[in-house]
Amino acid sequence: MDELVQVLLLTTMAGAAIPIGGAIAMVEKISPAWLEEEFRHSVIAFGGGVLISAVALVLVPDGVKELSLGWIVTAFVAGAVVFWGLETLLARSKSSIAQLVAMLSDFVPEAIALGAAFAHGEKTGALLAVLIALQNLPEGFNAYRELNATGDIGGKKLVLLLAACVPLGPLAGWIGYEHLSAYPSVVGFIMLFAASGILYLTFQDLAPQAKVENQRAPAIGAVLGFLLGVVGQVLLNG
């Protein structure tokens, strides 16, 4: 199979986990009510742990390889400033899409990296796509819960909105394969920029939402989410 076709198929598969996670959130119902609440907060924490693992194990290590210290600092500062500005605009508009933004900030640069990896002949693309899908599943779940809580949109319409994010994966993979594989420093800058934004959104929005008064179990979800990234990194390097 042509390498570009593989990139498009794998990134589409990984992106499909986003609406699947949303569909699970749509039908999810657990009794008693306290257990349902704790489960939801645990999934939010799990998604935060997955995002942090993506930053620590994929985006930052791969991003710094081709950049000087000055460009590393520039990418991080730029990411923080841009996402702070975006968060400010969302707050003023009463919108609540932090989880969705964080998810796409993770998904898009990883899809670009996947495309670039195939262009360089690396053979870990399929496994990387599986790991991205495992990240997108809880993130799609959390994005649905967060957006549904605003009351502006919900149910099948919201799942369709999440499904509209799927084409961003193959588009990013194609860009990485066809246009950015020859510019590893540009890919590195994008990854560090995204890592900075993910860190900002995680500590600004996701971590506070994961907290439940007098309950400590949801924090375990963050640890398990990070562990998922560690396992994936070990498998990729094994």
Side-chain angles (χ1 to χ4, degrees), residues 25 58 212 230:
V58 179
V212 184
V230 173

Side-chain angles (χ1 to χ4, degrees), residues 152-236:
D152 296 330
I153 185 174
K156 294 181 180 179
K157 290 183 178 179
L158 184 48
V159 174
L160 290 176
L161 174 63
L162 295 176
C165 299
V166 175
L168 293 175
L171 176 61
W174 172 76
I175 291 173
Y177 183 89
E178 291 284 359
H179 299 288
L180 295 182
S181 59
Y183 305 99
S185 59
V186 175
V187 176
F189 188 94
I190 293 172
M191 297 178 91
L192 292 181
F193 180 92
S196 177
I198 290 170
L199 286 174
Y200 175 84
L201 291 174
T202 298
F203 287 99
Q204 175 65 19
D205 290 295
L206 302 185
Q209 289 186 54
K211 175 69 175 177
V212 184
E213 188 175 358
N214 298 323
Q215 297 294 333
R216 293 168 179 79
I220 298 297
V223 177
L224 294 177
F226 192 90
L227 176 61
L228 172 64
V230 173
V231 171
Q233 184 75 358
V234 171
L235 291 175
L236 283 173

